[in-house]
Amino acid sequence: MSIVIITEGKETNGWEKALKAKRPELEVLVHPDVAAKDKVEFALTWGHPLGVFKEYPNIKCIASMGAGVDHILRDPELPASATITKLEDPNLTRDMGLFVMALVLNHMRNLTVHKLNQQQHNWSRKRYLTTEDTTIGIMGMGTLGAHAAAELTKLGFQVNGWARTEKQLEGIKVYKGDEELDSFLATSDILICLLPLTPQTENILNKQTLSKLPNNAFVINVARGKHLVDEDLVELLDSGHLAGASLDVFREEPLPKDHPFWSHPKINITPHIASITDPASAVLQILDNYDRLQRGKPLKNIVSPELGY
């Protein structure tokens, strides 16, 4: 059996080298240069061309190159017989936690403000926020959200979570469902979105929900750009209800040159670099599921197409 890498516009050399380094005898193919597509059962993918899996009639596993799977589930022609899996790489989780903490501390200690003042030779002081007076709310209590919550708790923050279903996490109050969303938002001085992108969570960061945040709240989105309604965020920033936002993900990437986010004084932009998969560390997880598929054993990190995660 072989592994085929299917991606559109994403570099594949890193994955090819990582797979061959751990399993030299493995046949690693890269779409579309595959002669016998009917013999391929395992695909590793990110942003595949829609409908491409019709060319692989015996595909049994479609594995995401990252933690997200919305790029797979957007395809209306996915084979019903194929199991979809995601990555849960400890390095990916660690890096996301560190990035989220950096954004939180940057906001609390006014580092962006002071950088702008430096450029203007402006010696001005601004009172910083304290951990004791700041409650952080994290939307999404999966692997990434739970880890970020635990790390922020270690720094002394009060951290609350919100999830679609009930979750039990030590030291963290987790609100659940639509019935508790407003209460969760009302406590969140800093709101962090780490939700999976599903039909239910698309556009969830909108005027209605963001208006429920306390005055001068700060918004961090490191999940997916389609969670956020761009114009609603700008309106609430301009009205003074929100203090600012740090955004790492966008509806269109790269962010168009004429997008208002670029020049907005209250928005910090990073180019989707919060947490980047390292094939060298993630490849063992891929190969483990590859072996499980060969042996007829249950796969790990299976995604529900119905739930979207």
Side-chain angles (χ1 to χ4, degrees):
M1 196 163 68
S2 58
I3 289 180
V4 63
I5 300 175
I6 305 177
T7 183
E8 204 165 45
K10 191 177 180 72
E11 187 272 329
T12 64
N13 287 340
W15 281 102
E16 292 177 72
K17 290 178 181 178
L19 287 166
K20 295 297 285 185
K22 293 296 182 183
R23 194 74 59 85
E25 72 279 10
L26 179 66
E27 184 180 25
V28 180
L29 309 169
V30 178
H31 179 85
D33 299 322
V34 181
K37 294 180 179 177
D38 60 322
K39 298 187 183 302
V40 176
E41 297 182 349
F42 194 105
L44 179 61
T45 185
W46 188 273
H48 68 272
L50 297 182
V52 72
F53 292 110
K54 290 186 294 183
E55 301 178 27
Y56 296 86
N58 295 311
I59 203 77
K60 294 180 181 177
C61 178
I62 301 172
S64 175
M65 290 180 177
V69 293
D70 50 282
H71 62 99
I72 296 175
L73 298 180
R74 68 192 172 99
D75 190 341
E77 299 183 275
L78 289 175
S81 59
T83 300
I84 299 168
T85 65
K86 63 181 179 179
L87 276 182
E88 288 196 358
D89 180 30
N91 288 0
L92 204 67
T93 302
R94 175 205 63 202
D95 290 351
M96 178 61 79
L98 289 170
F99 190 77
V100 165
M101 287 191 288
L103 295 182
V104 168
L105 295 175
N106 177 71
H107 166 61
M108 293 189 62
R109 299 307 298 258
N110 305 309
L111 299 185
T112 298
V113 172
H114 294 311
K115 182 62 179 179
L116 293 173
N117 285 345
Q118 176 188 340
Q119 295 169 356
Q120 300 168 8
H121 296 197
N122 178 8
W123 184 275
S124 296
R125 292 179 176 179
K126 182 178 180 181
R127 185 69 180 175
Y128 55 80
L129 302 175
T130 65
T131 55
E132 294 83 2
D133 297 326
T134 304
T135 299
I136 295 176
I138 299 180
M139 303 181 84
M141 285 285 104
T143 300
L144 298 178
H147 175 77
E151 294 301 296
L152 287 164
T153 299
K154 292 176 185 177
L155 294 179
F157 289 102
Q158 172 64 44
V159 181
N160 296 327
W162 180 77
R164 284 288 174 184
T165 57
E166 186 171 352
K167 301 273 187 178
Q168 299 292 333
L169 295 174
E170 185 177 354
I172 298 165
K173 177 176 175 57
V174 181
Y175 296 80
K176 67 177 177 68
D178 293 337
E179 67 274 16
E180 295 185 354
L181 179 57
D182 287 357
S183 298
F184 162 78
L185 292 168
T187 69
S188 301
D189 300 307
I190 299 176
L191 179 70
I192 301 170
C193 182
L194 275 166
L195 289 164
L197 182 63
T198 69
Q200 291 72 37
T201 64
E202 186 171 344
N203 299 322
I204 195 170
L205 300 178
N206 55 48
K207 184 176 181 179
Q208 181 180 357
T209 54
L210 296 177
S211 295
K212 302 288 177 59
L213 295 171
N215 195 42
N216 288 320
F218 191 83
V219 175
I220 294 173
N221 188 16
V222 287
R224 287 291 183 267
K226 288 185 178 180
H227 285 126
L228 176 66
V229 180
D230 295 0
E231 56 270 26
D232 288 0
L233 174 65
V234 171
E235 181 180 342
L236 291 171
L237 290 170
D238 290 346
S239 72
H241 178 67
L242 296 178
S246 283
L247 308 176
D248 185 58
V249 289
F250 307 92
R251 288 178 174 269
E252 183 180 347
E253 297 181 2
L255 188 65
K257 298 291 186 182
D258 60 350
H259 197 288
F261 284 172
W262 283 112
S263 57
H264 201 288
K266 294 183 177 180
I267 296 178
N268 298 323
I269 288 173
T270 49
H272 204 152
I273 45 78
S275 186
I276 299 174
T277 303
D278 178 8
S281 69
V283 70
L284 290 177
Q285 190 175 140
I286 298 298
L287 289 173
D288 181 32
N289 267 346
Y290 170 84
D291 292 339
R292 286 171 173 271
L293 183 66
Q294 284 190 306
R295 297 167 185 164
K297 292 185 177 181
L299 304 186
K300 293 183 178 179
N301 302 322
I302 293 176
V303 170
S304 165
E306 293 74 29
L307 294 176
Y309 55 89

